Amino acid sequence: MPVTLVIHGGAGNIHPGMMTGSQEQQYREGLTAALDKGYAVLRDGGAATDAVIAAITELENNVLFNAGRGSVFTKKGLHEMDAALMDGATLNAGAIAGVRNIKNPIMLAREVVLHSGHVFLSGKGAGEFALSRGIEFAPDDYFFNKDPYDQWVDIRDSDFYQLDHKEDNMKGPIPNTDHKFGTVGAVAFDAKGNLAGGTSTGGMTNKRFGRIGDSPVVGAGTYANNKTCAISCTGHGEYFLRAVVAYDVSCLMEYKGLSLQEACNTVIKDKLVKLGGEGGLIAVDGQGNHDFCFNSAGMYRAMRNDGGREEVAFYGA
Ligand code: ASP
């Protein structure tokens, strides 16, 4: 079987010229390190779920990305993280939302799958469960990073909740053309022919009221089913939730017989655009075919398979 790993580090207004050569190099190294960790699992015959966790853990530990250590600040100056993991072989899934001080939220999502008897835990309860499972916690200063902090300071006194395109609604995203969504995700196809997908995020800067995005919601930001595909999304979560993006791609394949690429294009470049939603996804199907699909200017993305193919890219075509 052609093992394949595909990862992302967020979509958004990522365009040539916005980064220095050394910044580009940092992103390239960060994505490659995550590919190395996840692909080693697949190469050694490991499970797609474990490859997804290995890749995402590496990205969560990298301050460049809005997940784990690099998570953005909420309205109250906190870090509230969301993550989900789904196994395409069993359709088992585990998700957590609004968790604080968890070093690697994707590992907590796996504990939810294995040991909670539930699918989706949130806030304090998820923290209690993490304690009971011996999950690693980290102090607030572990999550302090200057770029996300400055981004938050710029908008914390407003009702804006992210860096995004211009909208009239003052309670919506902030008008700013330099927005990017730095959520991370991974999808994998393993040597046994199983698929898995996972996503992890700090959400959106200045979010409040316990806001939860699409990332931890099974079917919206994350989905995996051996019959069809594994998907991890990134973008403006409110739209991905309403469009049930990840499951919609899977349904188009299952019920209408579309190919992976046709299904991704239909959802991201047609349906989501009509709704006004910006972002993208990574996908892999049950033959090991992959797709990167986005309607934003760019998406931090990378893939490796055992056919010797490797790609790391940021910008649109
Ligand atoms: N989709 C995430 C959210 O809305 C943000 C992102 O992709 O960076 O929480």
Side-chain angles (χ1 to χ4, degrees), residues 7-247:
I7 61 174
H8 73 76
N13 199 9
I14 302 161
H15 51 84
M18 69 176 270
M19 287 188 278
T20 63
S22 93
Q23 284 169 328
E24 283 187 349
Q25 185 58 21
Q26 283 176 17
Y27 275 96
R28 188 169 296 281
E29 284 171 10
L31 291 169
T32 304
L35 274 186
D36 289 346
K37 286 276 163 59
Y39 193 77
V41 174
L42 296 177
R43 188 199 52 218
D44 295 345
T49 46
D50 291 333
V52 164
I53 290 165
I56 290 181
T57 300
E58 180 70 24
L59 294 167
E60 285 176 341
N61 293 341
N62 187 331
V63 296
L64 289 179
F65 303 102
N66 171 20
R69 185 169 198 178
S71 289
V72 297
F73 288 78
T74 67
K75 179 86 181 163
K76 292 186 174 161
L78 306 171
H79 306 281
E80 294 176 354
M81 299 169 283
D82 306 333
L85 175 72
M86 187 157 183
D87 176 0
T90 57
L91 301 189
N92 283 337
I96 42 132
V99 298
R100 295 188 48 204
N101 300 99
I102 301 292
K103 183 163 179 275
N104 292 108
I106 196 67
M107 290 194 184
L108 182 54
R110 173 171 56 186
E111 292 300 301
V112 173
V113 178
L114 297 176
H115 301 290
S116 74
H118 299 296
V119 170
F120 205 168
L121 304 182
S122 69
K124 272 191 182 162
E128 284 164 21
F129 174 69
L131 263 181
S132 78
R133 295 302 312 164
I135 284 284
E136 190 174 351
F137 282 67
D140 286 342
D141 60 5
Y142 173 80
F143 299 93
F144 181 89
N145 295 290
K146 190 162 172 1
D147 283 353
Y149 178 77
D150 289 347
Q151 216 172 65
W152 170 63
V153 166
D154 279 351
I155 62 168
R156 68 182 168 190
D157 296 328
S158 75
D159 284 337
F160 295 125
Y161 63 78
Q162 234 278 21
L163 304 179
D164 202 288
H165 54 272
K166 191 164 171 42
E167 284 202 358
D168 294 335
N169 179 1
M170 291 294 285
K171 294 217 164 80
I174 191 168
N176 183 321
T177 51
D178 265 347
H179 64 279
K180 66 181 174 61
F181 309 98
T183 290
V184 308
V187 295
F189 179 61
D190 69 24
K192 294 200 171 104
N194 292 321
L195 296 172
T199 311
S200 181
T201 187
M204 296 175 95
T205 298
N206 217 32
K207 66 183 182 181
R208 55 184 181 163
F209 308 133
R211 180 261 185 195
I212 298 167
D214 61 310
S215 309
V217 176
V218 170
T222 306
Y223 191 70
N225 183 339
N226 274 9
K227 272 195 199 166
T228 53
C229 58
I231 305 281
S232 171
C233 299
T234 171
H236 190 167
E238 278 65 13
Y239 293 89
F240 282 69
L241 281 163
R242 289 163 57 209
V244 200
V245 167
Y247 187 58

Side-chain angles (χ1 to χ4, degrees), residues 266-279:
T266 302
V267 177
I268 295 292
K269 296 189 175 161
D270 184 21
K271 294 175 83 169
L272 197 61
V273 169
K274 285 180 182 145
L275 205 59
E278 184 188 352

